[in-house]
Amino acid sequence: MKCPGCWKMLTVAMCMALVACLQAQELQGHVSVILLGATGDLAKKYLWQGLFQLYLDEVGKGCSFSFHGAALTSTKQGQEFITKVLESLSCPEDMVPRRCAELRGQFQQLSQYRRLRTNEDYMALSKDIEAQLEHKGLREAGRVFYFSVPPFAYADIARSINSSCRPGPGAWLRVVLEKPFGHDHLSAQQLATELGSFFQEEEMYRVDHYLGKQAVAQILPFRDQNRKALDGLWNRHHVERVEIIMKETVDAGGRTSFYEEYGVIRDVLQNHLTEVLTLVAMELPYNVSSSEAVLQHKLQAFRALRGLQKGSAVLGQYQAYGEQVRREQQKPDSFHSLTPTFAGILVHVDNLRWEGVPFFLMSGKAMDERVGYVRILFRNQAYCAQNEKRWVADQSQCLPRQIVFYIGHGELGSPAVLVSRNLFRPSLPSESWKEVEGRPGLHLFGRPLSDYYAYSPVREQDAYSVLMSHIFHGRKDSFITTENLLASWVFWTPLLDSLAHEVPRLYPGGAESGHLLDFEFRGTQLRFSRQQLEQLVPGPGSAPKPSDFQVLRAKYRESPLISAWPEELIAKLADDIEATAVRAVRRFGEFHLALSGGSSPVPLLQQLATRHYGFPWAHTHLWLVDERCVPLRDPESNFQGLQAHLLQHVRVPHYNVHPMPVHLHQRLCAEEDRGAQMYASEISALVTNSSFDLVLLGMGTDGHTASLFPQSPAGLEGTQPVVLTRSPSKPHQRMSLSLPLINRARKVAVLVMGRLKREITMLVSRVGHEPKKWPISGVLPSSGQLVWYMDYEAFLG
């Protein structure tokens, strides 16, 4: 009988069998697992169980194991501890008890404790493994070293493994590292460099156990298996917002020494929740089973995250935390901690897919419930003419449309994937996910469970069990690479630095917190929805609240002064700028605004971008008062700050935006490129009489303004409108408007904020016209108005 397709089918079958054979050969042999910190809390709760599950999954598949628990504890105590832990190991519910007992007995026989302290101890371990292999006639497949120890111990252990305990040729080494991976970008970089001197990148597996949680691990496969349905939905046109939440009912009791060093952002948001964010936001690789492709796309997602500002966060601290710290760490009664135990963060992704979509990250201790989830809420652009009672869950477009990856606990109690019935019926692998049975009365995210297609795992697995399997099979996409780790710290470190002295809002904890921690956003700013009307811990001599003061009007250097708390001051300045702009456009048809760089104008730019919808942006020209001699895309660039905080949020015609030409002919501020003269010519051609409608300046602690410094007299006098100057701090080269050009403006506003400016504010109030010593003293418009805007800390101290 002839069969034209038979040979083709036979060839394919033979090829598949050969691939399977090669994969089996790769895993065959002996694997030694060394658990460092084997007597610790993490090992007791999760790691030994995870190793046992690995053994259950792989037994009989051609690979043999030995498990070595190691710590600094004496041999007798360590063995007793491990024996007790191993007796408590559990099997999956569907396993026959007799088979479970048999396999647990085998695992116990394969597990032993040894003390590892010195380099000689590691050398002895290596010789013992080699002797065991030789005695049993086994080939070594590889070794796994699991570091369940504090990061300060990493370097010494790594050195010993590298010099004395690596497997022989042809066998692999896998080193598993537990967080924390540094405290900020610098410490993470130092730790990565140190470990990189002992191990190759492919040998290191940094664990974030959230990536092993079943609902989280399902995000990419779900997106892949439902590409057709999601392709048109997974973007800014349809997604209203994304919520990534982890709430805990427990407090930090017993762990305050760790929490004082790390706090909730470093403990949860920088790692767990950020990793989840990248899984939602990243572009989906063509092949999601390719670890290399997944990790590369995650890195691209990191790089697309918009930089965070202080206004991107709200912080809280449960009321009892301070007392716990004082008690556990023997602190004096006067000690008050600023460590946040609650944080809400607003994140934006700057790419075409997610532009304008808010991602909320939130975590807290002593909350009203224990729950974790990722919720993608879709826009509802429908109107239903029928009464709400007649809306049908899988048909009505007026019902909420959402996809939820339910990580666990909460009302549902177990991991799940929920998809609103009015979206689509999702596809999930039937061998590992099953539809959830109806539970009358259960409501999730405002809707009954019956409104969702709901799926839960066929067999629930602990995150560490999942990750142990991925380590064994070399699946790197479930772990954190050095490059991705450092990208995360680049994103989080500036925010952490800016919040270091921020006082968190106190909350009672549990259900008593009520709505005290609810927050909302406007543009790029996050804030608590409710004012904290009373102090939870009243004390004598309480500091005055912003509401105790009104905007103060006075004189400073014989010019008008407006002083207020920072928020009121910025709001007042923004109102004044808009009023000036409206008058200028009404009178002349256009408004010319010159803005200084630095950190002080950032909240003003954000205020203008998010709360001034009547601003005549279409008729506004934006100029720079000064610029650092760096490429315009450089984070140090004043223009880059203008772009990040204002231009990307408002509609200013591109031909009305005038960056300073500091980067010409691939050179920075070269005299022969005549960038300063070019900018002066552009001003002369477009600005009537070279008189800006408004110039916004700041004041440095040395009395400089714009980029006119006491040490660099250029631009303080003379006829040159734009000059090159030199700053005492990096980057040294600058371009700046000159004092004579600034003083031709119709209005000059000087914004001074912060306690660090108090000393120079007092000094400048007493000096006369001495611009060579204090350039700010030379600011006095020849025919315009000068107004000072100072917050109370700068003005009153």
Side-chain angles (χ1 to χ4, degrees):
M1 184 178 72
K2 293 184 178 180
C3 177
C6 288
W7 280 109
K8 186 176 181 181
M9 291 170 64
L10 183 60
T11 303
V12 170
M14 290 174 66
C15 288
M16 291 177 67
L18 179 60
V19 169
C21 182
L22 290 172
Q23 288 176 337
Q25 284 181 354
E26 183 185 339
L27 293 177
Q28 281 177 348
H30 186 81
V31 173
S32 304
V33 181
I34 300 93
L35 176 53
L36 301 157
T39 58
D41 195 49
L42 182 66
K44 179 182 177 182
K45 286 182 177 177
Y46 300 109
L47 301 183
W48 280 111
Q49 181 64 49
L51 291 176
F52 181 45
Q53 186 61 52
L54 173 65
Y55 180 70
L56 295 179
D57 291 341
E58 301 300 330
V59 66
K61 294 183 180 179
C63 188
S64 62
F65 290 94
S66 59
F67 300 92
H68 305 266
L72 302 179
T73 310
S74 69
T75 303
K76 183 183 177 185
Q77 286 179 310
Q79 190 60 58
E80 287 174 353
F81 178 90
I82 287 179
T83 300
K84 191 173 181 181
V85 171
L86 298 185
E87 287 171 353
S88 66
L89 297 176
S90 60
C91 297
E93 290 181 2
D94 56 356
M95 183 175 284
V96 177
R98 184 183 300 172
R99 178 61 174 161
C100 175
E102 178 188 344
L103 290 172
R104 184 165 51 225
Q106 291 175 11
F107 183 75
Q108 290 169 336
Q109 290 295 317
L110 296 171
S111 304
Q112 57 178 302
Y113 176 82
R114 67 190 303 143
R115 194 178 197 185
L116 286 182
R117 295 181 64 189
T118 65
N119 197 52
E120 288 72 27
D121 292 336
Y122 284 87
M123 195 177 298
L125 170 62
S126 188
K127 287 180 179 177
D128 287 351
I129 291 172
E130 290 164 5
Q132 181 185 7
L133 293 168
E134 187 176 350
H135 176 70
K136 294 184 178 180
L138 298 171
R139 180 184 66 83
E140 183 165 28
R143 297 180 190 178
V144 177
F145 284 87
Y146 200 114
F147 285 46
S148 180
V149 295
F152 66 76
Y154 282 4
D156 288 341
I157 295 173
R159 187 178 294 107
S160 294
I161 293 171
N162 184 55
S163 64
S164 307
C165 210
R166 277 186 169 273
W172 45 256
L173 171 68
R174 289 174 191 156
V175 177
V176 188
L177 305 164
E178 276 283 347
K179 79 176 184 75
F181 312 122
H183 186 266
D184 54 18
H185 181 252
L186 178 61
S187 58
Q189 177 73 70
Q190 290 170 341
L191 184 59
T193 301
E194 206 163 27
L195 289 170
S197 65
F198 302 117
F199 305 125
Q200 300 296 317
E201 178 64 31
E202 61 268 19
E203 294 174 332
M204 289 186 282
Y205 289 69
R206 291 183 183 84
V207 169
D208 186 322
H209 77 272
Y210 246 55
L211 293 177
K213 289 185 176 290
Q214 287 172 288
V216 174
Q218 187 58 31
I219 293 175
L220 284 187
F222 178 90
R223 291 181 58 190
D224 182 48
Q225 291 155 15
N226 296 278
R227 279 181 193 257
K228 188 174 180 181
L230 289 174
D231 268 352
L233 291 172
W234 209 257
N235 57 59
R236 61 191 168 97
H237 300 296
H238 295 278
V239 176
E240 179 181 311
R241 68 186 189 193
V242 178
E243 300 168 2
I244 304 173
I245 308 298
M246 177 183 160
K247 295 167 70 177
E248 298 181 275
T249 52
V250 298
D251 60 23
R255 295 182 69 221
T256 58
S257 58
F258 170 85
Y259 236 71
E260 274 300 279
E261 186 175 357
Y262 289 93
V264 69
I265 295 179
R266 290 181 174 92
D267 184 35
V268 178
L269 284 88
Q270 179 272 326
N271 36 74
H272 303 326
L273 302 195
T274 306
E275 285 297 316
V276 174
L277 185 153
T278 61
L279 295 177
V280 174
M282 64 185 268
E283 293 300 308
L284 200 58
Y286 177 75
N287 180 10
V288 295
S289 61
S290 165
S291 293
E292 186 178 348
V294 169
L295 291 169
Q296 200 56 42
H297 281 68
K298 282 179 72 173
L299 184 60
Q300 291 170 8
F302 273 121
R303 290 172 174 166
L305 298 178
R306 185 187 303 169
L308 296 171
Q309 304 294 327
K310 187 186 289 189
S312 306
V314 289
L315 304 179
Q317 181 190 96
Y318 64 82
Q319 189 174 347
Y321 178 77
E323 178 55 36
Q324 288 176 333
V325 174
R326 289 191 287 271
R327 184 176 64 252
E328 290 181 15
Q329 299 181 51
Q330 287 82 52
K331 299 283 188 181
D333 291 343
S334 58
F335 176 81
H336 292 283
S337 172
L338 297 180
T339 300
T341 61
F342 167 90
I345 308 290
L346 174 62
V347 177
H348 282 93
V349 183
D350 281 335
N351 60 24
L352 283 175
R353 181 180 294 277
W354 297 112
E355 181 187 2
V357 177
F359 285 71
F360 292 115
L361 277 58
M362 188 272 276
S363 183
K365 288 192 172 293
M367 303 294 286
D368 62 324
E369 63 175 338
R370 182 187 183 190
V371 71
Y373 60 84
V374 186
R375 180 185 182 217
I376 299 95
L377 182 65
F378 294 87
R379 298 183 191 279
N380 194 329
Q381 297 172 324
Y383 172 77
C384 297
Q386 281 191 314
N387 183 284
E388 183 181 350
K389 294 177 183 178
R390 297 186 176 88
W391 293 355
V392 181
D394 57 353
Q395 295 175 5
S396 176
Q397 293 303 303
C398 290
L399 288 170
R401 302 190 301 161
Q402 46 199 333
I403 296 174
V404 181
F405 298 95
Y406 201 87
I407 298 168
H409 306 292
E411 294 285 332
L412 201 53
S414 61
V417 176
L418 310 174
V419 179
S420 293
R421 289 182 178 270
N422 57 357
L423 273 172
F424 59 89
R425 175 181 279 277
S427 172
L428 281 90
S430 58
E431 68 277 7
S432 52
W433 290 81
K434 62 182 180 181
E435 284 208 58
V436 175
E437 297 177 4
R439 290 168 61 179
L442 177 61
H443 280 65
L444 294 168
F445 308 102
R447 301 305 304 165
L449 185 61
S450 58
D451 273 15
Y452 300 96
Y453 295 112
Y455 298 82
S456 65
V458 171
R459 178 163 65 95
E460 281 194 48
Q461 283 184 286
D462 171 71
Y464 280 97
S465 297
V466 173
L467 293 176
M468 290 292 186
S469 175
H470 291 182
I471 294 162
F472 177 73
H473 289 281
R475 280 191 51 183
K476 291 281 286 184
D477 54 314
S478 297
F479 301 89
I480 317 301
T481 64
T482 300
E483 205 170 13
N484 283 358
L485 171 68
L486 296 179
S488 177
W489 276 120
V490 164
F491 175 65
W492 283 103
T493 299
L495 177 71
L496 288 163
D497 289 345
S498 72
L499 296 174
H501 303 293
E502 196 75 5
V503 179
R505 166 174 287 194
L506 292 175
Y507 61 97
E512 291 181 23
S513 297
H515 296 286
L516 201 59
L517 297 178
D518 294 352
F519 54 82
E520 59 192 44
F521 77 103
R522 292 185 183 178
T524 60
Q525 300 290 295
L526 204 63
R527 66 180 188 180
F528 285 117
S529 302
R530 295 193 174 189
Q531 293 295 315
Q532 191 162 6
L533 299 177
E534 69 221 38
Q535 290 178 281
L536 293 170
V537 185
S542 300
K545 298 188 291 291
S547 57
D548 295 336
F549 292 82
Q550 301 298 321
V551 173
L552 173 67
R553 297 175 186 275
K555 289 278 187 178
Y556 180 81
R557 290 182 59 83
E558 300 182 357
S559 292
L561 166 71
I562 295 172
S563 191
W565 288 105
E567 284 190 13
E568 287 88 345
L569 183 71
I570 291 297
K572 171 62 178 167
L573 176 54
D575 287 343
D576 290 352
I577 292 175
E578 181 174 348
T580 304
V582 170
R583 283 196 300 270
V585 171
R586 189 180 299 132
R587 187 173 178 187
F588 306 111
E590 57 188 13
F591 173 57
H592 289 272
L593 172 64
L595 295 165
S596 186
S599 58
S600 292
V602 168
L604 171 67
L605 299 180
Q606 293 172 338
Q607 178 92 5
L608 289 171
T610 58
R611 301 190 186 181
H612 286 262
Y613 299 106
F615 202 101
W617 292 116
H619 304 283
T620 296
H621 284 258
L622 291 174
W623 304 82
L624 287 181
V625 168
D626 62 332
E627 182 59 280
R628 297 171 170 90
C629 293
V630 296
L632 295 184
R633 288 182 176 274
D634 192 293
E636 291 278 343
S637 164
N638 288 342
F639 180 77
Q640 181 60 30
L642 185 65
Q643 165 67 22
H645 303 297
L646 180 68
L647 292 179
Q648 67 176 348
H649 305 295
V650 298
R651 296 184 182 275
V652 179
H654 70 273
Y655 43 80
N656 282 7
V657 180
H658 308 280
M660 281 185 159
V662 294
H663 195 191
L664 298 171
H665 309 299
Q666 297 185 340
R667 296 184 294 197
L668 294 169
C669 293
E671 289 270 8
E672 54 269 34
D673 291 335
R674 298 179 60 78
Q677 290 83 344
M678 286 175 58
Y679 206 56
S681 298
E682 191 175 2
I683 293 169
S684 176
L686 296 175
V687 183
T688 305
N689 299 323
S690 296
S691 299
F692 292 107
D693 295 302
L694 193 147
V695 174
L696 177 69
L697 299 175
M699 178 170 67
T701 54
D702 59 353
H704 83 262
T705 192
S707 281
L708 305 173
F709 298 92
Q711 304 90 333
S712 179
L716 300 179
E717 53 190 14
T719 58
Q720 199 170 343
V722 185
V723 294
L724 294 177
T725 68
R726 189 163 182 81
S727 165
S729 59
K730 292 182 179 181
H732 297 299
Q733 287 184 293
R734 307 288 178 94
M735 185 180 288
S736 179
L737 303 187
S738 67
L739 264 183
L741 180 61
I742 290 170
N743 284 334
R744 295 182 70 166
R746 292 187 173 90
K747 181 174 180 178
V748 177
V750 183
L751 177 61
V752 188
M753 297 179 70
R755 191 181 298 273
L756 293 177
K757 302 292 178 69
R758 173 62 185 141
E759 193 171 325
I760 189 65
T761 299
M762 290 180 63
L763 177 64
V764 170
S765 70
R766 297 194 296 264
V767 304
H769 184 82
E770 300 183 63
K772 290 184 178 179
K773 288 186 178 179
W774 301 284
I776 189 68
S777 71
V779 176
L780 189 61
S782 51
S783 58
Q785 182 188 31
L786 170 64
V787 181
W788 297 82
Y789 294 81
M790 294 186 187
D791 71 355
Y792 287 132
E793 288 197 330
F795 183 53
L796 301 173

